[in-house]
Amino acid sequence: MIKGFIFDLDGVITDTAELHYAAWKELADDMGWEFDRELNEKLRGISRMDSIKVIMDYNNISLDEKSIVDFATKKNDFYVKSLNSITQEDYLPGARELLTHLRSEGFSVALGSASKNAEKVLKQLNATHYFDVIGDGNSVTKSKPAPDIFLYASEKLGLPPENCIVFEDAEKGIDAANAGKFHSVGIGPAERVGHADVRFDTMKEATLFEVKSYFKELF
Ligand code: BG6
Ligand code: MG
C-alpha cells in the first residue's frame, strides 16, 4: 500500500536549475573556466561538491581540497543571494496542487533533496507546511545516486520503501530511488528519467489521479 510520497525539490517542486546555472556561471567566468547549459544539465540532482568536481574535470583542472571547498562556497554565496528572488509564484505548475491534494487525502509527505539550501527554498515558496519530514543535503553524507536521502526520509516517516513513491527529475535521482527499492515517478524526458516506473513530461500531468491510475494495485 502506498502511504507516503517523497519529493525531490529542484526540478520537481520548483525550478532552481536556472539559478544554479547563473551562480556556477558567475564563478566560472570569474575563474576563466568553461561552463555552459549543457554542462549545467549534468549537475542536475548531484551535490554541490560532486558538481564542482564535474566542472573541474570538464576544464581539466585539478585543485587541492581546500580550494575546491572555497570555490564551492563562493558559488553557494552567489546562489543563496539569488534565492531571495523566489516567491510563492514559483512552484512548477501542478506541484502545489499535488501537495495540497496529498495532504487532504492524508498521505505522509517528505522532502528528499540533495540541496543544503532546501529549507530556505521551501520558506521562500511558503511550502514548509506541506512536509512531515525534511530530508536535505545536511541529512546524509552519501548523495544521489546513493539511495540514502530517500531511505532517511522514509525512515523518518516510519514507512518502508515499498510504501512510498519518490518523485524525481534527475537521472541520478531515479537511480537513487530504484536502488532504495522505492516506487518511482520521473518528471522530464525519457532520455533522463525513462528508467522510472512511470514518467510524466511535467508536474502538471503528474496528478494524484494519474499516479493512482498507474500504481492502482498499490492504493
Ligand atoms: C540539487 C540540484 O537539488 O541540489 C543540484 O539539482 C545541486 O543541481 C544540489 O547541485 C545541491 O544544492 P546546494 O543548494 O546544496 O548547492
Ligand atoms: Mg531535482
Side-chain angles (χ1 to χ4, degrees):
M1 286 292 282
I2 297 301
K3 295 187 176 149
F5 285 76
I6 305 174
F7 289 90
D8 172 51
L9 176 64
D10 298 325
V12 172
I13 307 293
T14 186
D15 187 12
T16 48
E18 196 55 32
L19 300 180
H20 278 293
Y21 169 75
W24 283 123
K25 181 78 182 142
E26 196 163 350
L27 175 72
D29 286 353
D30 277 2
M31 300 304 300
W33 299 343
E34 295 257 345
F35 185 72
D36 57 19
R37 284 175 199 281
E38 206 182 318
L39 187 56
N40 189 55
E41 194 47 41
K42 298 211 165 71
L43 311 181
R44 194 179 277 269
I46 67 171
S47 72
R48 195 183 313 156
M49 290 307 286
D50 288 346
S51 300
I52 193 160
K53 284 171 187 163
V54 168
I55 296 169
M56 284 168 37
D57 282 353
Y58 183 81
N59 282 274
N60 287 315
I61 302 161
S62 78
L63 293 168
D64 57 89
E65 202 58 29
K66 176 167 182 319
S67 309
I68 297 174
V69 171
D70 287 350
F71 288 131
T73 303
K74 195 167 172 200
K75 177 267 174 179
N76 193 54
D77 293 343
F78 295 140
Y79 179 64
V80 170
K81 238 178 257 161
S82 74
L83 292 179
N84 290 322
S85 68
I86 298 180
T87 72
Q88 299 185 42
E89 306 306 310
D90 292 318
Y91 284 84
L92 279 167
R96 179 165 31 196
E97 292 76 2
L98 178 59
L99 290 168
T100 305
H101 201 173
L102 292 174
R103 299 309 313 200
S104 72
E105 294 232 344
F107 288 101
S108 296
V109 179
L111 190 80
S113 167
S115 175
K116 293 189 170 175
N117 296 299
E119 291 205 18
K120 162 92 175 157
V121 174
L122 290 181
K123 205 163 154 215
Q124 294 290 128
L125 290 167
N126 191 22
T128 312
H129 63 283
Y130 289 120
F131 297 91
D132 300 298
V133 164
I134 294 176
D136 64 15
N138 304 296
S139 310
V140 295
T141 46
K142 272 207 213 150
S143 45
K144 300 166 189 177
D148 301 34
I149 187 62
F150 297 135
L151 292 170
Y152 171 90
S154 67
E155 198 188 316
K156 291 267 173 197
L157 287 177
L159 297 171
E162 65 264 28
N163 291 165
C164 300
I165 294 179
V166 167
F167 273 64
E168 254 295 347
D169 70 306
E171 183 180 352
K172 295 226 163 46
I174 295 295
D175 290 341
N178 291 345
K181 307 225 173 338
F182 291 87
H183 305 284
S184 56
V185 172
I187 304 298
E191 312 84 84
R192 202 167 80 205
V193 291
H195 52 320
D197 294 334
V198 59
R199 185 193 69 79
F200 298 97
D201 286 331
T202 70
M203 281 296 281
K204 210 166 175 184
E205 288 87 52
T207 60
L208 184 54
F209 178 82
E210 288 297 330
V211 171
K212 276 187 172 175
S213 320
Y214 180 80
F215 292 104
K216 40 181 164 326
E217 71 287 2
L218 296 174
F219 280 91

